[in-house]
Amino acid sequence: MDNRPRWRTAIVTTVLALAATLTGGAPPAPARADARADAPADEQTVGDVTGFDPTPTEFRIHAGPATARVRFTTPETLHLELAPDGRFTDPTAQDIVLPQGTPPPTRWRDRGDRYELSTTQLTLRAYKKPLRFALHRADGTRLWSESKGLTWTRDRTTQTLDRGRNEQFYGAGMQNGRGNTSHRGKKVEVGVDYNWDDGGHPNSVPFYLSSAGYGAYRNTYAPNTYTFDAPVKATAQERRFDAYYFAGGTPKQVIGGYTKLTGKPFLPPLYGLEPGDSDCYLHNKNRGERRTLDALKIADGYVENDLPLGWMLVNDGYGCGYENLPEVTKGLADRKMHMGLWTEDGLDKLADQVKTGQRVAKLDVAWVGEGYKFALDGCKAAYKGIEDNSDARGFTWAPESWSGAQRCGVQWSGDQKGSWDYIRWQIPTYAGATMSGLAYTTGDIDGIFAGSPKTYVRDLQWKAFLPAVMTMDGWAPTDKQPWRYGEPYTSINRKYLKLKESLLPYMYTYAAEAARTGVGPVRPLVLEYPDDPKAATEAAKYEFLTGEYFLVAPVYEDKETRDGIYLPRGTWTDYWTGRTYRGPTTVDGYRAPLDTLPLFVKAGANIPMWPGIRSYRDRTPGSPLAWDIYPPTRGRSSFTLYEDDGVTRAHRQGAYARQEVRTHTLPDALRIQVGASIGHFKGKQATRPYTFTVHSRTAPAAVTLDGRPLPRHAWRYDPSDRGGVVRITTPSRTTDRPFTLMLKTG
């Protein structure tokens, strides 16, 4: 044990730091009196550099029997490994990391006390005595630095990093009750624990994101522990070190780098973004004798109550089989729904089931418990099985997944009981998971075991703003579809499910963005406002963004008011009343009776909508496209709508279209420019009418279309609607030509 006085240690540290500043290096980590007090007896730390072998594609650095290997996969992505015995292994093989193409040009320099290994964007400093690493941008900005060399024992390997003064940390996959605020100062576990309640961590991901401008992915199937104290310690339960680092100017760019490596999220079919229903319809002991065809009676309930439903799982994974699948498929199709099945009996029957009409696969029972590789292989196999045997897109649901599962499925949080507390802790869970590249995370409406009429309504309200959601019935005392509690609950549930349906073009556009960039639709505030000091704190824990423009602040108590709604910078409009707020501000005492979800829209929003539908299949060639416009307070804003056929994989060969809408607030007018729809896909509307709802405190003096006055019957101003709206309807127009609306205010 080091018995030097602590004051002397502090002086030595200061001197070494000054010397490092003068030489351009970093100080070696001084010994601390308590540095190894809790270290395992067999812990070893990498020693001094004893050899250096550079090649055009990789660098090997030897430190006695240990060897580090450094490779760059892109100019902003570093792959760093350490083998204590000099022999490199990869238990993940080709399961997770995708081929990355030709590595970028690299160079190296010997700086005396260190080697510098560089691309045009990054420099990794490898200090020699002892071997320690620090990653910098090309301009010298430090991303991270090791405060001591890599350490290992028989069954774990740890990297120890300096923590920045204000550095914040996010990620680690689905962390129940956490995730959309910073992990700083907290210990985060990554690994299966089968705890599906608050504090559990199903669907873990060994990836974290730092506000310093980087992300780190540990390439392993082993459980991980991140302790975001000072120093930061990142440990994996294996005697090898294998990590990728991604630099980016924004958190979105870091997530993009990680998902370029491990796979972008899949693009669900449109029905996958509609509500789902799940139960056992064969020999269900909780419901009396039922047959699989009885699922059609439940489907009829959705139709009769005018409630949207995209798909049904007609069996569960706990002994409930199925029968009459062709008849069930046809019956559901007649009701504008799709059939799904649990993979209770493995995947060997999937091909025949898909040919019969299965379009959703729920991975359960056989697909948890034998390790993440088994679960990931199951996800990929089920996804591929749907695509190999139909023209549809793969669409799976899975609990307890891992890195790479974003490519093939929705991550589901498991079995819970509906309650106010259930609502509370789920709010930060799904937005936080987006920080790890998981674009589609969700939980059952009011849990699997059911709560109460009120908790059902409150839970459904905010989950209508998640991309994917379902209600599950099999273990509740009674069926729990959205109409089961009667009025006023049925009408409230209908209101939000219809709103979810009408917002499909908005949500689908963000789903396409996720497939392109890795950034999911549901977002913690810090993802859009990384420089807002409150966005990383408890002030924003129980709210989230859907896309860039909707801010959702669910009610998670048996109350009719909501306190502590934090609105970041910008102008925010109450979706229901039209009242505006100037952010940053905190709203207390927000009136939220049972039928009201606190919901705000940011100025500059151009929201595409499909009004008045129960199913995406209700759309016809002549259906209108609606735009809900919240003009920017000044300047310009834009939104680019994404469209394809919504079901097949033709978009992967370029069969899709984009249409940009731009708004510009001028001193005496509001200009709305609708661009041409560029691209083609089967079923694309050649012509369509447009409707616009423009939020305005005053009535326009005139409205023109391409410079010509619109007749008064084509537009009207309603001052009593949400603080004032202008409603405009255009004649049917060809989609391949742009047009401009002007609302003249003076």
Side-chain angles (χ1 to χ4, degrees), residues 136-183:
H136 293 248
R137 296 189 192 277
D139 64 4
T141 303
R142 189 186 72 178
L143 295 173
W144 57 259
S145 62
E146 293 179 341
S147 55
K148 64 182 292 186
L150 291 164
T151 63
W152 62 86
T153 66
R154 179 177 55 83
D155 58 3
R156 75 181 193 185
T157 309
T158 299
Q159 184 179 44
T160 305
L161 303 174
D162 291 319
R163 189 180 72 178
R165 181 177 179 183
N166 297 307
E167 190 173 4
Q168 308 296 330
F169 303 90
Y170 308 90
M174 186 186 288
Q175 296 284 327
N176 286 351
R178 299 159 291 164
N180 69 348
T181 55
S182 176
H183 293 316

Side-chain angles (χ1 to χ4, degrees), residues 28-176:
R32 297 191 316 173
D34 58 348
R36 299 184 57 82
D38 60 348
D42 64 336
E43 183 178 273
Q44 299 180 62
T45 303
V46 67
D48 294 348
V49 171
T50 56
F52 178 63
D53 297 324
T55 73
T57 59
E58 71 176 41
F59 306 92
R60 295 200 178 205
I61 305 171
H62 306 282
T67 300
R69 180 164 63 182
V70 178
R71 292 178 285 187
F72 292 92
T73 60
T74 76
E76 292 187 318
T77 303
L78 164 71
H79 187 195
L80 174 62
E81 300 169 272
L82 182 108
D85 60 0
R87 294 191 293 269
F88 293 99
T89 60
D90 182 3
T92 71
Q94 298 177 344
D95 295 345
I96 300 174
V97 173
L98 301 177
Q100 297 297 294
T102 303
T106 58
R107 62 186 184 277
W108 67 275
R109 290 182 179 180
D110 188 340
R111 294 288 195 182
D113 67 328
R114 67 188 185 272
Y115 295 105
E116 290 187 350
L117 321 174
S118 303
T119 67
T120 57
Q121 302 298 316
L122 296 177
T123 293
L124 180 70
R125 297 180 180 181
Y127 293 94
K128 298 178 181 180
K129 293 185 177 182
L131 176 58
R132 289 182 299 110
F133 296 102
L135 186 63
H136 293 248
R137 296 189 192 277
D139 64 4
T141 303
R142 189 186 72 178
L143 295 173
W144 57 259
S145 62
E146 293 179 341
S147 55
K148 64 182 292 186
L150 291 164
T151 63
W152 62 86
T153 66
R154 179 177 55 83
D155 58 3
R156 75 181 193 185
T157 309
T158 299
Q159 184 179 44
T160 305
L161 303 174
D162 291 319
R163 189 180 72 178
R165 181 177 179 183
N166 297 307
E167 190 173 4
Q168 308 296 330
F169 303 90
Y170 308 90
M174 186 186 288
Q175 296 284 327
N176 286 351

Side-chain angles (χ1 to χ4, degrees), residues 427 539 541-543 552-557 559-566 587-592 598:
I427 298 166
K541 184 172 184 177
Y542 296 113
E543 57 192 69
V552 185
V555 176
Y556 54 89
E557 300 174 285
K559 295 181 178 179
E560 293 197 349
T561 58
R562 172 66 151 85
D563 294 326
I565 302 173
Y566 179 67
V587 179
D588 291 320
Y590 180 92
R591 187 174 179 275

Side-chain angles (χ1 to χ4, degrees), residues 477-690:
T478 61
D479 284 336
K480 52 189 284 285
Q481 285 83 18
W483 68 87
R484 296 296 184 181
Y485 290 119
E487 295 296 345
Y489 312 108
T490 301
S491 292
I492 300 172
N493 293 335
R494 181 185 302 113
K495 169 183 172 180
Y496 286 93
L497 292 179
K498 282 291 197 74
L499 178 57
K500 177 177 178 60
E501 201 72 19
S502 69
L503 288 170
L504 273 177
Y506 178 81
M507 188 71 81
Y508 194 61
T509 295
Y510 277 103
E513 180 180 305
R516 186 175 69 255
T517 68
V519 180
V522 175
R523 303 170 179 185
L525 269 61
V526 74
L527 186 58
E528 294 294 339
Y529 303 91
D531 299 324
D532 185 329
K534 282 195 172 183
T537 70
E538 297 288 310
K541 184 172 184 177
Y542 296 113
E543 57 192 69
F544 61 89
L545 297 165
T546 296
E548 298 171 55
Y549 296 105
F550 282 106
L551 188 148
V552 185
V555 176
Y556 54 89
E557 300 174 285
D558 191 6
K559 295 181 178 179
E560 293 197 349
T561 58
R562 172 66 151 85
D563 294 326
I565 302 173
Y566 179 67
L567 303 177
R569 69 177 181 271
T571 298
W572 297 88
T573 299
D574 185 318
Y575 186 79
W576 310 110
T577 68
R579 179 179 175 180
T580 58
Y581 301 83
R582 175 76 62 163
T585 188
T586 299
V587 179
D588 291 320
Y590 180 92
R591 187 174 179 275
L594 188 61
D595 68 343
T596 301
L597 168 73
L599 181 64
F600 303 85
V601 188
K602 188 178 181 181
N606 304 315
I607 309 293
M609 302 180 75
W610 289 340
I613 61 170
R614 188 184 62 80
S615 166
Y616 78 94
R617 295 185 183 185
D618 290 337
R619 297 281 295 172
T620 68
S623 292
L625 177 63
W627 288 90
D628 197 13
I629 306 291
Y630 294 78
T633 53
R634 63 178 65 86
R636 298 175 172 84
S637 66
S638 67
F639 187 91
T640 301
L641 171 70
Y642 173 88
E643 299 176 282
D644 61 29
D645 67 31
V647 176
T648 76
R649 305 186 296 276
H651 66 286
R652 298 177 191 170
Q653 283 71 52
Y656 59 84
R658 298 184 186 275
Q659 184 176 34
E660 183 182 28
V661 169
R662 291 180 289 173
T663 55
H664 187 188
T665 298
L666 303 166
D668 60 352
L670 174 69
R671 181 168 62 210
I672 303 173
Q673 295 174 288
V674 180
S677 177
I678 300 172
H680 182 75
F681 58 90
K682 184 177 181 180
K684 178 183 175 181
Q685 290 178 294
T687 63
R688 62 184 170 205
Y690 293 83

